[in-house]
Amino acid sequence: MWALVTGFLDVIAAIRLRREITGEFWLVLAGLLSIGFGALLMARPGAGALAILWLIATYAILFGVILVALAVKARGFARRIETAVGGSAQSAHDDAMVRPTMR
């Protein structure tokens, strides 16, 4: 049941964010995989524990790969924002810090 819910929420998030981000396809794909996985588990509840284990492992690996691809896209988006703002957030933070003097 959780896979169905998270899948639907991922697809909804991708649709709502399509104007804000690029590469929302990966979030839709992750959502569709979750929905398919949840439907498969609901359709075959009598499957053995080992079969369920293999399904969960395959799902986790595929979902992880998709989320890594999404993270790479998000990192590129963050870098574009950083460039547009004109510097790194860390250097701005360092400039704002008051360094104590040694006595």
Side-chain angles (χ1 to χ4, degrees):
M1 185 70 159
W2 58 269
L4 290 172
V5 172
T6 59
F8 282 118
L9 291 176
D10 284 345
V11 171
I12 290 169
I15 291 169
R16 295 187 89 181
L17 291 172
R18 71 178 176 255
R19 291 187 182 115
E20 305 297 327
I21 62 173
T22 58
E24 73 277 358
F25 165 77
W26 293 107
L27 192 55
V28 170
L29 186 59
L32 292 176
L33 277 173
S34 291
I35 292 169
F37 178 70
L40 186 61
L41 285 179
M42 289 182 76
R44 309 229 17 174
L50 186 58
I52 295 289
L53 177 70
W54 278 103
L55 286 173
I56 291 171
T58 303
Y59 166 77
I61 290 169
L62 289 174
F63 196 72
V65 167
I66 289 169
L67 287 181
V68 166
L70 181 62
V72 169
K73 284 288 204 180
R75 184 177 180 192
F77 180 68
R79 285 185 178 162
R80 284 196 318 255
I81 289 175
E82 183 178 293
T83 302
V85 171
S88 73
Q90 183 63 37
S91 66
H93 176 71
D94 290 343
D95 292 341
M97 294 287 296
V98 176
R99 292 183 180 86
T101 58
M102 305 243 340
R103 293 185 185 222

